[in-house]
PDB file of all heavy atoms in Angstrom:
ATOM      1  N   ALA A 293      18.100  49.893 -62.490  1.00  0.00           N
ATOM      2  CA  ALA A 293      17.451  50.393 -61.321  1.00  0.00           C
ATOM      3  C   ALA A 293      17.259  49.293 -60.292  1.00  0.00           C
ATOM      4  O   ALA A 293      17.029  48.138 -60.655  1.00  0.00           O
ATOM      5  CB  ALA A 293      16.079  50.943 -61.698  1.00  0.00           C
ATOM      6  N   GLU A 294      17.418  49.652 -59.073  1.00  0.00           N
ATOM      7  CA  GLU A 294      17.161  48.749 -57.931  1.00  0.00           C
ATOM      8  C   GLU A 294      15.889  49.148 -57.228  1.00  0.00           C
ATOM      9  O   GLU A 294      15.698  50.294 -56.888  1.00  0.00           O
ATOM     10  CB  GLU A 294      18.329  48.792 -56.912  1.00  0.00           C
ATOM     11  CG  GLU A 294      19.651  48.431 -57.479  1.00  0.00           C
ATOM     12  CD  GLU A 294      20.773  48.687 -56.467  1.00  0.00           C
ATOM     13  OE1 GLU A 294      20.742  49.715 -55.731  1.00  0.00           O
ATOM     14  OE2 GLU A 294      21.737  47.918 -56.542  1.00  0.00           O
ATOM     15  N   PHE A 295      15.009  48.165 -56.953  1.00  0.00           N
ATOM     16  CA  PHE A 295      13.760  48.384 -56.249  1.00  0.00           C
ATOM     17  C   PHE A 295      13.964  47.940 -54.856  1.00  0.00           C
ATOM     18  O   PHE A 295      14.308  46.802 -54.571  1.00  0.00           O
ATOM     19  CB  PHE A 295      12.627  47.632 -56.907  1.00  0.00           C
ATOM     20  CG  PHE A 295      12.237  48.229 -58.283  1.00  0.00           C
ATOM     21  CD1 PHE A 295      13.063  48.070 -59.352  1.00  0.00           C
ATOM     22  CD2 PHE A 295      11.107  48.957 -58.430  1.00  0.00           C
ATOM     23  CE1 PHE A 295      12.763  48.607 -60.585  1.00  0.00           C
ATOM     24  CE2 PHE A 295      10.752  49.558 -59.658  1.00  0.00           C
ATOM     25  CZ  PHE A 295      11.594  49.295 -60.722  1.00  0.00           C
ATOM     26  N   CYS A 296      13.780  48.866 -53.914  1.00  0.00           N
ATOM     27  CA  CYS A 296      14.138  48.681 -52.478  1.00  0.00           C
ATOM     28  C   CYS A 296      12.957  48.852 -51.567  1.00  0.00           C
ATOM     29  O   CYS A 296      12.082  49.676 -51.889  1.00  0.00           O
ATOM     30  CB  CYS A 296      15.241  49.672 -52.064  1.00  0.00           C
ATOM     31  SG  CYS A 296      16.659  49.731 -53.142  1.00  0.00           S
ATOM     32  N   ASP A 297      12.985  48.193 -50.419  1.00  0.00           N
ATOM     33  CA  ASP A 297      11.998  48.472 -49.402  1.00  0.00           C
ATOM     34  C   ASP A 297      12.479  49.689 -48.637  1.00  0.00           C
ATOM     35  O   ASP A 297      13.567  50.291 -48.972  1.00  0.00           O
ATOM     36  CB  ASP A 297      11.809  47.286 -48.483  1.00  0.00           C
ATOM     37  CG  ASP A 297      13.042  46.803 -47.749  1.00  0.00           C
ATOM     38  OD1 ASP A 297      14.002  47.619 -47.532  1.00  0.00           O
ATOM     39  OD2 ASP A 297      13.073  45.643 -47.337  1.00  0.00           O
ATOM     40  N   SER A 298      11.714  50.155 -47.643  1.00  0.00           N
ATOM     41  CA  SER A 298      12.061  51.404 -46.935  1.00  0.00           C
ATOM     42  C   SER A 298      13.348  51.331 -46.163  1.00  0.00           C
ATOM     43  O   SER A 298      13.915  52.359 -45.824  1.00  0.00           O
ATOM     44  CB  SER A 298      10.911  51.827 -46.008  1.00  0.00           C
ATOM     45  OG  SER A 298      10.674  50.847 -45.015  1.00  0.00           O
ATOM     46  N   ASP A 299      13.832  50.074 -45.913  1.00  0.00           N
ATOM     47  CA  ASP A 299      15.119  49.934 -45.190  1.00  0.00           C
ATOM     48  C   ASP A 299      16.289  49.937 -46.132  1.00  0.00           C
ATOM     49  O   ASP A 299      17.419  49.836 -45.716  1.00  0.00           O
ATOM     50  CB  ASP A 299      15.120  48.631 -44.385  1.00  0.00           C
ATOM     51  CG  ASP A 299      14.095  48.645 -43.271  1.00  0.00           C
ATOM     52  OD1 ASP A 299      13.866  49.728 -42.669  1.00  0.00           O
ATOM     53  OD2 ASP A 299      13.553  47.551 -42.938  1.00  0.00           O
ATOM     54  N   GLY A 300      16.016  49.999 -47.470  1.00  0.00           N
ATOM     55  CA  GLY A 300      17.082  50.017 -48.466  1.00  0.00           C
ATOM     56  C   GLY A 300      17.529  48.663 -48.948  1.00  0.00           C
ATOM     57  O   GLY A 300      18.486  48.526 -49.697  1.00  0.00           O
ATOM     58  N   THR A 301      16.787  47.630 -48.553  1.00  0.00           N
ATOM     59  CA  THR A 301      17.103  46.253 -49.037  1.00  0.00           C
ATOM     60  C   THR A 301      16.659  46.113 -50.505  1.00  0.00           C
ATOM     61  O   THR A 301      15.479  46.420 -50.819  1.00  0.00           O
ATOM     62  CB  THR A 301      16.409  45.170 -48.177  1.00  0.00           C
ATOM     63  OG1 THR A 301      16.809  45.357 -46.824  1.00  0.00           O
ATOM     64  CG2 THR A 301      16.756  43.771 -48.652  1.00  0.00           C
ATOM     65  N   VAL A 302      17.555  45.721 -51.355  1.00  0.00           N
ATOM     66  CA  VAL A 302      17.225  45.580 -52.770  1.00  0.00           C
ATOM     67  C   VAL A 302      16.518  44.251 -52.979  1.00  0.00           C
ATOM     68  O   VAL A 302      16.964  43.204 -52.548  1.00  0.00           O
ATOM     69  CB  VAL A 302      18.556  45.617 -53.630  1.00  0.00           C
ATOM     70  CG1 VAL A 302      18.182  45.401 -55.064  1.00  0.00           C
ATOM     71  CG2 VAL A 302      19.253  46.905 -53.400  1.00  0.00           C
ATOM     72  N   HIS A 303      15.356  44.353 -53.659  1.00  0.00           N
ATOM     73  CA  HIS A 303      14.540  43.141 -53.964  1.00  0.00           C
ATOM     74  C   HIS A 303      14.425  42.840 -55.426  1.00  0.00           C
ATOM     75  O   HIS A 303      13.999  41.740 -55.827  1.00  0.00           O
ATOM     76  CB  HIS A 303      13.137  43.285 -53.330  1.00  0.00           C
ATOM     77  CG  HIS A 303      13.201  43.301 -51.835  1.00  0.00           C
ATOM     78  ND1 HIS A 303      13.493  42.175 -51.076  1.00  0.00           N
ATOM     79  CD2 HIS A 303      12.963  44.296 -50.995  1.00  0.00           C
ATOM     80  CE1 HIS A 303      13.425  42.495 -49.792  1.00  0.00           C
ATOM     81  NE2 HIS A 303      13.122  43.760 -49.690  1.00  0.00           N
ATOM     82  N   LEU A 304      14.840  43.806 -56.325  1.00  0.00           N
ATOM     83  CA  LEU A 304      14.741  43.580 -57.719  1.00  0.00           C
ATOM     84  C   LEU A 304      15.643  44.563 -58.408  1.00  0.00           C
ATOM     85  O   LEU A 304      15.775  45.720 -58.014  1.00  0.00           O
ATOM     86  CB  LEU A 304      13.296  43.878 -58.156  1.00  0.00           C
ATOM     87  CG  LEU A 304      12.958  43.873 -59.669  1.00  0.00           C
ATOM     88  CD1 LEU A 304      13.208  42.511 -60.279  1.00  0.00           C
ATOM     89  CD2 LEU A 304      11.595  44.396 -59.948  1.00  0.00           C
ATOM     90  N   ALA A 305      16.263  44.115 -59.479  1.00  0.00           N
ATOM     91  CA  ALA A 305      17.068  45.002 -60.334  1.00  0.00           C
ATOM     92  C   ALA A 305      16.542  44.851 -61.771  1.00  0.00           C
ATOM     93  O   ALA A 305      16.301  43.705 -62.241  1.00  0.00           O
ATOM     94  CB  ALA A 305      18.540  44.689 -60.287  1.00  0.00           C
ATOM     95  N   LEU A 306      16.311  45.958 -62.445  1.00  0.00           N
ATOM     96  CA  LEU A 306      15.793  45.920 -63.835  1.00  0.00           C
ATOM     97  C   LEU A 306      16.695  46.802 -64.682  1.00  0.00           C
ATOM     98  O   LEU A 306      17.180  47.885 -64.251  1.00  0.00           O
ATOM     99  CB  LEU A 306      14.381  46.506 -63.897  1.00  0.00           C
ATOM    100  CG  LEU A 306      13.227  45.747 -63.274  1.00  0.00           C
ATOM    101  CD1 LEU A 306      11.920  46.520 -63.444  1.00  0.00           C
ATOM    102  CD2 LEU A 306      13.118  44.385 -63.866  1.00  0.00           C
ATOM    103  N   PRO A 307      16.911  46.432 -65.948  1.00  0.00           N
ATOM    104  CA  PRO A 307      17.656  47.295 -66.850  1.00  0.00           C
ATOM    105  C   PRO A 307      16.825  48.528 -67.176  1.00  0.00           C
ATOM    106  O   PRO A 307      15.610  48.556 -67.080  1.00  0.00           O
ATOM    107  CB  PRO A 307      17.821  46.433 -68.100  1.00  0.00           C
ATOM    108  CG  PRO A 307      16.756  45.392 -68.042  1.00  0.00           C
ATOM    109  CD  PRO A 307      16.461  45.161 -66.605  1.00  0.00           C
ATOM    110  N   ALA A 308      17.556  49.590 -67.501  1.00  0.00           N
ATOM    111  CA  ALA A 308      16.880  50.913 -67.769  1.00  0.00           C
ATOM    112  C   ALA A 308      16.920  51.158 -69.298  1.00  0.00           C
ATOM    113  O   ALA A 308      17.866  50.827 -69.993  1.00  0.00           O
ATOM    114  CB  ALA A 308      17.645  52.001 -67.022  1.00  0.00           C
ATOM    115  N   GLN A 309      15.865  51.850 -69.739  1.00  0.00           N
ATOM    116  CA  GLN A 309      15.832  52.352 -71.069  1.00  0.00           C
ATOM    117  C   GLN A 309      14.960  53.578 -71.120  1.00  0.00           C
ATOM    118  O   GLN A 309      14.160  53.862 -70.170  1.00  0.00           O
ATOM    119  CB  GLN A 309      15.281  51.278 -72.043  1.00  0.00           C
ATOM    120  CG  GLN A 309      13.794  51.015 -71.975  1.00  0.00           C
ATOM    121  CD  GLN A 309      13.342  49.996 -72.994  1.00  0.00           C
ATOM    122  OE1 GLN A 309      14.032  48.997 -73.269  1.00  0.00           O
ATOM    123  NE2 GLN A 309      12.193  50.199 -73.581  1.00  0.00           N
ATOM    124  N   THR A 310      15.076  54.377 -72.190  1.00  0.00           N
ATOM    125  CA  THR A 310      14.195  55.555 -72.364  1.00  0.00           C
ATOM    126  C   THR A 310      13.055  55.132 -73.249  1.00  0.00           C
ATOM    127  O   THR A 310      13.105  54.111 -73.951  1.00  0.00           O
ATOM    128  CB  THR A 310      14.932  56.714 -73.035  1.00  0.00           C
ATOM    129  OG1 THR A 310      15.466  56.337 -74.274  1.00  0.00           O
ATOM    130  CG2 THR A 310      16.061  57.213 -72.147  1.00  0.00           C
ATOM    131  N   GLY A 311      11.981  55.928 -73.228  1.00  0.00           N
ATOM    132  CA  GLY A 311      10.863  55.649 -74.085  1.00  0.00           C
ATOM    133  C   GLY A 311       9.612  56.225 -73.492  1.00  0.00           C
ATOM    134  O   GLY A 311       9.674  56.930 -72.444  1.00  0.00           O
ATOM    135  N   THR A 312       8.487  55.940 -74.138  1.00  0.00           N
ATOM    136  CA  THR A 312       7.209  56.465 -73.625  1.00  0.00           C
ATOM    137  C   THR A 312       6.198  55.358 -73.401  1.00  0.00           C
ATOM    138  O   THR A 312       5.113  55.604 -72.877  1.00  0.00           O
ATOM    139  CB  THR A 312       6.607  57.477 -74.628  1.00  0.00           C
ATOM    140  OG1 THR A 312       6.475  56.794 -75.909  1.00  0.00           O
ATOM    141  CG2 THR A 312       7.467  58.702 -74.800  1.00  0.00           C
ATOM    142  N   THR A 313       6.530  54.092 -73.765  1.00  0.00           N
ATOM    143  CA  THR A 313       5.652  52.978 -73.641  1.00  0.00           C
ATOM    144  C   THR A 313       6.185  52.009 -72.628  1.00  0.00           C
ATOM    145  O   THR A 313       7.349  51.689 -72.591  1.00  0.00           O
ATOM    146  CB  THR A 313       5.562  52.239 -75.012  1.00  0.00           C
ATOM    147  OG1 THR A 313       5.149  53.191 -75.993  1.00  0.00           O
ATOM    148  CG2 THR A 313       4.537  51.137 -74.954  1.00  0.00           C
ATOM    149  N   PRO A 314       5.334  51.504 -71.671  1.00  0.00           N
ATOM    150  CA  PRO A 314       5.786  50.561 -70.716  1.00  0.00           C
ATOM    151  C   PRO A 314       6.316  49.307 -71.419  1.00  0.00           C
ATOM    152  O   PRO A 314       5.746  48.847 -72.425  1.00  0.00           O
ATOM    153  CB  PRO A 314       4.523  50.203 -69.937  1.00  0.00           C
ATOM    154  CG  PRO A 314       3.620  51.410 -70.151  1.00  0.00           C
ATOM    155  CD  PRO A 314       3.917  51.882 -71.502  1.00  0.00           C
ATOM    156  N   VAL A 315       7.390  48.745 -70.840  1.00  0.00           N
ATOM    157  CA  VAL A 315       8.006  47.460 -71.339  1.00  0.00           C
ATOM    158  C   VAL A 315       8.160  46.584 -70.147  1.00  0.00           C
ATOM    159  O   VAL A 315       8.846  46.911 -69.163  1.00  0.00           O
ATOM    160  CB  VAL A 315       9.339  47.750 -71.997  1.00  0.00           C
ATOM    161  CG1 VAL A 315       9.979  46.411 -72.439  1.00  0.00           C
ATOM    162  CG2 VAL A 315       9.225  48.706 -73.161  1.00  0.00           C
ATOM    163  N   SER A 316       7.547  45.400 -70.126  1.00  0.00           N
ATOM    164  CA  SER A 316       7.647  44.521 -68.988  1.00  0.00           C
ATOM    165  C   SER A 316       9.095  44.056 -68.815  1.00  0.00           C
ATOM    166  O   SER A 316       9.824  43.722 -69.762  1.00  0.00           O
ATOM    167  CB  SER A 316       6.762  43.288 -69.205  1.00  0.00           C
ATOM    168  OG  SER A 316       6.764  42.471 -68.053  1.00  0.00           O
ATOM    169  N   GLY A 317       9.557  44.118 -67.572  1.00  0.00           N
ATOM    170  CA  GLY A 317      10.926  43.690 -67.233  1.00  0.00           C
ATOM    171  C   GLY A 317      11.952  44.766 -67.405  1.00  0.00           C
ATOM    172  O   GLY A 317      13.139  44.503 -67.336  1.00  0.00           O
ATOM    173  N   VAL A 318      11.552  46.040 -67.634  1.00  0.00           N
ATOM    174  CA  VAL A 318      12.451  47.132 -67.878  1.00  0.00           C
ATOM    175  C   VAL A 318      11.882  48.355 -67.137  1.00  0.00           C
ATOM    176  O   VAL A 318      10.663  48.525 -67.048  1.00  0.00           O
ATOM    177  CB  VAL A 318      12.477  47.445 -69.397  1.00  0.00           C
ATOM    178  CG1 VAL A 318      13.290  48.707 -69.724  1.00  0.00           C
ATOM    179  CG2 VAL A 318      13.100  46.290 -70.172  1.00  0.00           C
ATOM    180  N   ILE A 319      12.780  49.185 -66.622  1.00  0.00           N
ATOM    181  CA  ILE A 319      12.326  50.472 -66.113  1.00  0.00           C
ATOM    182  C   ILE A 319      12.530  51.520 -67.206  1.00  0.00           C
ATOM    183  O   ILE A 319      13.553  51.563 -67.812  1.00  0.00           O
ATOM    184  CB  ILE A 319      13.095  50.915 -64.812  1.00  0.00           C
ATOM    185  CG1 ILE A 319      12.496  52.185 -64.228  1.00  0.00           C
ATOM    186  CG2 ILE A 319      14.581  51.025 -65.064  1.00  0.00           C
ATOM    187  CD1 ILE A 319      12.977  52.496 -62.834  1.00  0.00           C
ATOM    188  N   VAL A 320      11.460  52.264 -67.484  1.00  0.00           N
ATOM    189  CA  VAL A 320      11.504  53.280 -68.548  1.00  0.00           C
ATOM    190  C   VAL A 320      11.590  54.643 -67.848  1.00  0.00           C
ATOM    191  O   VAL A 320      10.722  54.997 -67.064  1.00  0.00           O
ATOM    192  CB  VAL A 320      10.236  53.172 -69.434  1.00  0.00           C
ATOM    193  CG1 VAL A 320      10.272  54.235 -70.514  1.00  0.00           C
ATOM    194  CG2 VAL A 320      10.082  51.789 -70.045  1.00  0.00           C
ATOM    195  N   ILE A 321      12.642  55.367 -68.204  1.00  0.00           N
ATOM    196  CA  ILE A 321      12.861  56.681 -67.607  1.00  0.00           C
ATOM    197  C   ILE A 321      12.967  57.728 -68.648  1.00  0.00           C
ATOM    198  O   ILE A 321      13.099  57.432 -69.867  1.00  0.00           O
ATOM    199  CB  ILE A 321      14.139  56.722 -66.690  1.00  0.00           C
ATOM    200  CG1 ILE A 321      15.396  56.297 -67.470  1.00  0.00           C
ATOM    201  CG2 ILE A 321      13.939  55.770 -65.471  1.00  0.00           C
ATOM    202  CD1 ILE A 321      16.685  56.368 -66.586  1.00  0.00           C
ATOM    203  N   ASN A 322      12.887  59.006 -68.254  1.00  0.00           N
ATOM    204  CA  ASN A 322      12.815  60.084 -69.248  1.00  0.00           C
ATOM    205  C   ASN A 322      14.095  60.242 -70.007  1.00  0.00           C
ATOM    206  O   ASN A 322      14.099  60.668 -71.160  1.00  0.00           O
ATOM    207  CB  ASN A 322      12.445  61.391 -68.546  1.00  0.00           C
ATOM    208  CG  ASN A 322      13.425  61.875 -67.518  1.00  0.00           C
ATOM    209  OD1 ASN A 322      13.899  61.098 -66.669  1.00  0.00           O
ATOM    210  ND2 ASN A 322      13.711  63.171 -67.485  1.00  0.00           N
ATOM    211  N   THR A 323      15.222  59.881 -69.407  1.00  0.00           N
ATOM    212  CA  THR A 323      16.506  59.976 -70.150  1.00  0.00           C
ATOM    213  C   THR A 323      17.546  59.004 -69.440  1.00  0.00           C
ATOM    214  O   THR A 323      17.491  58.863 -68.250  1.00  0.00           O
ATOM    215  CB  THR A 323      17.088  61.405 -70.196  1.00  0.00           C
ATOM    216  OG1 THR A 323      18.331  61.371 -70.890  1.00  0.00           O
ATOM    217  CG2 THR A 323      17.295  61.952 -68.806  1.00  0.00           C
ATOM    218  N   LEU A 324      18.464  58.487 -70.224  1.00  0.00           N
ATOM    219  CA  LEU A 324      19.531  57.716 -69.652  1.00  0.00           C
ATOM    220  C   LEU A 324      20.703  58.604 -69.295  1.00  0.00           C
ATOM    221  O   LEU A 324      21.535  58.224 -68.491  1.00  0.00           O
ATOM    222  CB  LEU A 324      20.022  56.631 -70.619  1.00  0.00           C
ATOM    223  CG  LEU A 324      19.015  55.520 -70.977  1.00  0.00           C
ATOM    224  CD1 LEU A 324      19.632  54.512 -71.935  1.00  0.00           C
ATOM    225  CD2 LEU A 324      18.525  54.813 -69.738  1.00  0.00           C
ATOM    226  N   SER A 325      20.723  59.802 -69.831  1.00  0.00           N
ATOM    227  CA  SER A 325      21.768  60.778 -69.542  1.00  0.00           C
ATOM    228  C   SER A 325      21.337  61.637 -68.359  1.00  0.00           C
ATOM    229  O   SER A 325      20.748  62.720 -68.481  1.00  0.00           O
ATOM    230  CB  SER A 325      22.024  61.651 -70.787  1.00  0.00           C
ATOM    231  OG  SER A 325      22.431  60.882 -71.859  1.00  0.00           O
ATOM    232  N   ILE A 326      21.718  61.190 -67.174  1.00  0.00           N
ATOM    233  CA  ILE A 326      21.350  61.800 -65.917  1.00  0.00           C
ATOM    234  C   ILE A 326      22.311  62.970 -65.675  1.00  0.00           C
ATOM    235  O   ILE A 326      23.539  62.812 -65.822  1.00  0.00           O
ATOM    236  CB  ILE A 326      21.359  60.809 -64.761  1.00  0.00           C
ATOM    237  CG1 ILE A 326      20.521  59.603 -65.052  1.00  0.00           C
ATOM    238  CG2 ILE A 326      20.969  61.509 -63.463  1.00  0.00           C
ATOM    239  CD1 ILE A 326      19.053  59.869 -65.244  1.00  0.00           C
ATOM    240  N   VAL A 327      21.820  64.134 -65.279  1.00  0.00           N
ATOM    241  CA  VAL A 327      22.641  65.295 -64.936  1.00  0.00           C
ATOM    242  C   VAL A 327      22.430  65.677 -63.478  1.00  0.00           C
ATOM    243  O   VAL A 327      21.241  65.809 -63.021  1.00  0.00           O
ATOM    244  CB  VAL A 327      22.233  66.469 -65.882  1.00  0.00           C
ATOM    245  CG1 VAL A 327      23.058  67.712 -65.486  1.00  0.00           C
ATOM    246  CG2 VAL A 327      22.446  66.144 -67.344  1.00  0.00           C
ATOM    247  N   ALA A 328      23.485  65.781 -62.751  1.00  0.00           N
ATOM    248  CA  ALA A 328      23.380  66.127 -61.336  1.00  0.00           C
ATOM    249  C   ALA A 328      22.533  67.412 -61.154  1.00  0.00           C
ATOM    250  O   ALA A 328      22.749  68.378 -61.886  1.00  0.00           O
ATOM    251  CB  ALA A 328      24.795  66.398 -60.751  1.00  0.00           C
ATOM    252  N   GLY A 329      21.577  67.386 -60.253  1.00  0.00           N
ATOM    253  CA  GLY A 329      20.745  68.504 -60.024  1.00  0.00           C
ATOM    254  C   GLY A 329      19.466  68.557 -60.854  1.00  0.00           C
ATOM    255  O   GLY A 329      18.559  69.341 -60.587  1.00  0.00           O
ATOM    256  N   ALA A 330      19.420  67.770 -61.898  1.00  0.00           N
ATOM    257  CA  ALA A 330      18.238  67.802 -62.800  1.00  0.00           C
ATOM    258  C   ALA A 330      17.250  66.736 -62.309  1.00  0.00           C
ATOM    259  O   ALA A 330      17.610  65.736 -61.685  1.00  0.00           O
ATOM    260  CB  ALA A 330      18.682  67.485 -64.228  1.00  0.00           C
ATOM    261  N   PRO A 331      15.948  66.897 -62.661  1.00  0.00           N
ATOM    262  CA  PRO A 331      14.964  65.936 -62.253  1.00  0.00           C
ATOM    263  C   PRO A 331      15.073  64.625 -63.072  1.00  0.00           C
ATOM    264  O   PRO A 331      15.537  64.640 -64.205  1.00  0.00           O
ATOM    265  CB  PRO A 331      13.627  66.615 -62.534  1.00  0.00           C
ATOM    266  CG  PRO A 331      13.912  67.672 -63.543  1.00  0.00           C
ATOM    267  CD  PRO A 331      15.356  68.043 -63.311  1.00  0.00           C
ATOM    268  N   VAL A 332      14.710  63.514 -62.440  1.00  0.00           N
ATOM    269  CA  VAL A 332      14.683  62.203 -63.091  1.00  0.00           C
ATOM    270  C   VAL A 332      13.317  61.614 -62.885  1.00  0.00           C
ATOM    271  O   VAL A 332      12.834  61.465 -61.802  1.00  0.00           O
ATOM    272  CB  VAL A 332      15.745  61.253 -62.469  1.00  0.00           C
ATOM    273  CG1 VAL A 332      15.680  59.874 -63.090  1.00  0.00           C
ATOM    274  CG2 VAL A 332      17.168  61.852 -62.616  1.00  0.00           C
ATOM    275  N   HIS A 333      12.652  61.335 -63.986  1.00  0.00           N
ATOM    276  CA  HIS A 333      11.233  60.838 -64.023  1.00  0.00           C
ATOM    277  C   HIS A 333      11.221  59.373 -64.435  1.00  0.00           C
ATOM    278  O   HIS A 333      11.723  59.083 -65.495  1.00  0.00           O
ATOM    279  CB  HIS A 333      10.371  61.652 -64.917  1.00  0.00           C
ATOM    280  CG  HIS A 333      10.185  63.066 -64.524  1.00  0.00           C
ATOM    281  ND1 HIS A 333       9.220  63.496 -63.697  1.00  0.00           N
ATOM    282  CD2 HIS A 333      10.923  64.185 -64.897  1.00  0.00           C
ATOM    283  CE1 HIS A 333       9.321  64.822 -63.538  1.00  0.00           C
ATOM    284  NE2 HIS A 333      10.366  65.280 -64.243  1.00  0.00           N
ATOM    285  N   VAL A 334      10.641  58.530 -63.605  1.00  0.00           N
ATOM    286  CA  VAL A 334      10.349  57.169 -64.048  1.00  0.00           C
ATOM    287  C   VAL A 334       8.985  57.180 -64.744  1.00  0.00           C
ATOM    288  O   VAL A 334       7.976  57.573 -64.138  1.00  0.00           O
ATOM    289  CB  VAL A 334      10.374  56.200 -62.889  1.00  0.00           C
ATOM    290  CG1 VAL A 334       9.882  54.776 -63.336  1.00  0.00           C
ATOM    291  CG2 VAL A 334      11.728  56.080 -62.241  1.00  0.00           C
TER     292      VAL A 334
END
Side-chain angles (χ1 to χ4, degrees):
E294 298 172 325
F295 290 73
C296 308
D297 61 23
S298 62
D299 295 327
T301 302
V302 177
H303 294 290
L304 173 67
L306 292 178
Q309 73 178 41
T310 60
T312 57
T313 305
V315 178
S316 186
V318 173
I319 185 168
V320 180
I321 58 178
N322 61 318
T323 181
L324 295 181
S325 299
I326 307 296
V327 177
V332 178
H333 297 270
V334 172

